[in-house]
Amino acid sequence: MRIDIISLFPEMFNAVFEQSIIGRARLSGRVDIIVHNLRDYTYDKHRTVDDTPYGGGSGMVLMPGPLYDAVTKVKSLPVGYMKEPQRLTVFMTPQGEPFKQQTAKKLTTIDQLILVCGHYEGFDERARMLLADLEISIGDFVLTGGEIPAMAITDAVVRLLPGVLGDEYSAHEESFTENLLEYPHYTRPRNFKGLEVPEVLLSGNHGEIAKWRKEMAKERTKKRRPELLK
Ligand SMILES: C[S@@+](CC[C@H](N)C(=O)[O-])C[C@H]1O[C@@H](n2cnc3c(N)ncnc32)[C@H](O)[C@@H]1O
């Protein structure tokens, strides 16, 4: 899989994409992540990407021209040796479809994912209309830019790619995979400040442990996120 990110602040991604599981997935060639600077698609000496809104009001709006050129260029890049890769352009916006684990799962099937980060007041509407195949929001709150949403989406997608997580099963039982929150985890010590590890986890009986975990997952979901069970 190839992920291209278009941003005004490419340096923001370095630390996140070089570390841990994502860093290893890149090194092993399971994913290519390339960050492009939107300013490289400007043609004036100030490398202007934004302008004041028509109709007045505060803030600046990202002009459609640089976005159009950036996305068009990135969409023309090769994806491995594929003849007709499946490409998807996704705009980061608080007005988009809420991002869910199911969305992440679906995105793993795309060959080239292009994530476009907004800033200031957001995108000129025509860029959205002409370029976006999908618009995603990572929650009902407003961030300064689309960089953190793009990092969150990349992380959630890459860890689901085959071979990325050491233990394939760790992703199977995770929260939201089956519309359930995950069961509670315990590790050493057995007693911590008077709180004991549940006896069943020490029993060695894998059938009973699986049953207990399933019950805990259901109970926890019912208590914290009952809407998931519907
Ligand atoms: C300050 S926001 C613009 C918000 C826009 N004026 C509005 O009210 O819908 C700047 C950029 O941050 C990104 N952004 C902010 N919050 C987001 C969220 N919850 N999900 C995804 N992207 C978000 C988007 O790319 C957006 O264009």
Side-chain angles (χ1 to χ4, degrees):
M1 180 180 204
R2 174 182 171 128
I3 301 179
D4 290 272
I5 298 171
I6 299 172
S7 160
L8 279 174
F9 301 95
E11 317 77 44
M12 283 177 72
F13 294 89
N14 295 344
V16 174
F17 291 162
E18 276 166 18
Q19 315 284 322
S20 181
I21 291 171
I22 308 295
R24 286 201 297 274
R26 291 176 85 186
L27 283 177
S28 67
R30 289 190 164 86
V31 66
D32 272 333
I33 305 177
I34 300 118
V35 186
H36 308 265
N37 191 338
L38 183 61
R39 287 196 199 278
D40 292 343
Y41 297 88
T42 54
Y43 307 99
D44 64 319
K45 76 169 182 203
H46 300 295
R47 307 181 86 203
T48 312
V49 290
D50 57 340
D51 209 333
T52 52
Y54 276 122
S58 61
M60 299 295 274
V61 177
L62 289 179
M63 298 189 297
L67 288 163
Y68 190 88
D69 289 352
V71 172
T72 308
K73 171 71 187 173
V74 167
K75 272 173 98 167
S76 74
L77 298 172
V79 181
Y81 294 104
M82 288 181 188
K83 280 218 172 85
E84 288 183 15
Q86 202 190 342
R87 307 176 195 262
L88 193 82
T89 305
V90 186
F91 273 40
M92 307 294 106
T93 162
Q95 303 181 16
E97 173 184 318
F99 187 64
K100 301 263 165 67
Q101 187 68 9
Q102 295 311 322
T103 328
K105 184 88 192 141
K106 274 191 214 150
L107 294 181
T108 60
T109 62
I110 302 295
D111 302 314
Q112 185 192 23
L113 191 58
I114 302 165
L115 305 178
V116 186
C117 307
H119 226 84
Y120 317 120
E121 281 306 317
F123 313 100
D124 181 291
E125 186 67 3
R126 290 151 308 170
R128 188 192 68 73
M129 290 163 76
L130 290 168
L131 302 168
D133 299 316
L134 179 66
E135 295 171 57
I136 287 183
S137 162
I138 62 157
D140 288 348
F141 44 80
V142 178
L143 297 164
T144 313
E147 285 71 21
I148 291 171
M151 287 175 203
I153 292 169
T154 302
D155 187 299
V157 171
V158 170
R159 65 196 296 285
L160 294 180
L161 294 175
V164 168
L165 292 180
D167 174 2
E168 296 288 334
Y169 283 92
S170 41
H172 287 175
E173 292 187 334
E174 269 178 346
S175 297
F176 308 113
T177 309
E178 289 178 48
N179 282 338
L180 283 176
L181 300 180
E182 203 182 35
Y183 51 81
H185 296 279
Y186 293 87
T187 185
R188 290 189 178 82
R190 209 170 142 163
N191 181 312
F192 184 68
K193 297 196 185 293
L195 296 173
E196 286 281 350
V197 172
E199 206 55 44
V200 63
L201 298 179
L202 309 168
S203 68
N205 183 332
H206 296 295
E208 283 304 310
I209 292 172
K211 208 167 115 198
W212 179 86
R213 286 180 167 165
K214 191 91 190 165
E215 274 163 23
M216 286 295 123
K218 279 192 196 150
E219 199 176 289
R220 188 159 270 215
T221 312
K222 202 167 150 194
K223 214 183 226 170
R224 298 183 184 201
R225 298 289 304 276
E227 80 281 6
L228 290 176
L229 295 169
K230 283 183 194 138

